[in-house]
């Protein structure tokens, strides 16, 4: 999966639409599993990515771009959309009585990292997880 030069390997690149969210969830699961992610870590990573893709559809203009990459023992999934972005750096867990606003918080806590980048053209959210020792190609 990794090139001989140690460059990042593209595992999946796809357009996000409401109709494609379930298909993308399955594709991310298959690609992350093939890279060596398994068990609860795989489930957590896929849930985090699903939250990001759902947010792109709901809050980011209805569509976006998903890119899943591997570099050594790191898997990174980047979701970009054309929405207004968000005003906070990292999400806080809302009060229990407040509906919604838990997707980014979940993505942050289910992975080893969440980065948010507001740009003039939209928001890019990136989650990262670490593959088990010995699975990096």
């Amino acid at each position: 999966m990794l090139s001989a030069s140690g460059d990042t390997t593209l595992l999946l690149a796809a357009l996000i639409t409401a109709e494609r969210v379930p298909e993308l969830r399955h594709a991310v699961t298959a690609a992350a599993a093939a890279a060596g992610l398994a068990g609860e870590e795989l489930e957590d990573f896929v849930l985090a990515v699903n939250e990001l893709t759902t947010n792109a559809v709901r809050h980011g203009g209805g569509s976006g771009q998903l890119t899943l990459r591997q570099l050594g023992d790191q898997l990174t999934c980047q979701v970009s959309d054309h929405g207004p972005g968000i005003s906070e750096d990292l999400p806080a867990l809302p009060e229990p009585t407040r509906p919604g606003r838990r997707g980014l918080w979940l993505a942050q806590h289910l992975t080893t990292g969440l980065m948010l980048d507001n740009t003039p053209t939209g928001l890019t959210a990136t989650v990262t997880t670490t593959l088990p020792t010995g699975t990096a190609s």
Side-chain angles (χ1 to χ4, degrees):
M1 284 190 184
L2 214 73
S3 71
S5 66
D7 293 332
T8 301
T9 300
L10 179 64
L11 303 177
L12 178 65
L15 178 66
I16 301 166
T17 63
E19 299 78 23
R20 296 196 68 203
V21 168
E23 170 192 336
L24 291 173
R25 186 174 51 249
H26 294 296
V28 168
T29 301
L37 203 57
E40 191 173 311
E41 290 78 14
L42 175 61
E43 292 172 11
D44 288 351
F45 186 72
V46 170
L47 177 56
V49 171
N50 190 68
E51 290 295 331
L52 298 182
T53 59
T54 301
N55 281 352
V57 170
R58 293 183 74 200
H59 309 292
S63 66
Q65 180 68 35
L66 178 147
T67 308
L68 179 65
R69 294 182 172 94
Q70 179 181 357
L71 175 57
D73 67 347
Q74 298 290 304
L75 278 185
T76 301
C77 189
Q78 190 173 64
V79 173
S80 300
D81 64 42
H82 300 290
I86 62 171
S87 60
E88 55 196 277
D89 289 331
L90 289 176
L93 184 61
E95 294 296 321
T97 57
R98 185 174 182 187
R101 300 192 48 91
R102 287 167 178 75
L104 291 176
W105 184 89
L106 278 170
Q108 179 182 10
H109 286 83
L110 293 173
T111 62
T112 57
L114 168 68
M115 292 188 320
L116 302 174
D117 184 22
N118 283 303
T119 69
T121 60
L123 175 71
T124 297
T126 305
V127 288
T128 303
T129 194
T130 303
L131 295 167
T133 305
T135 59
S137 308

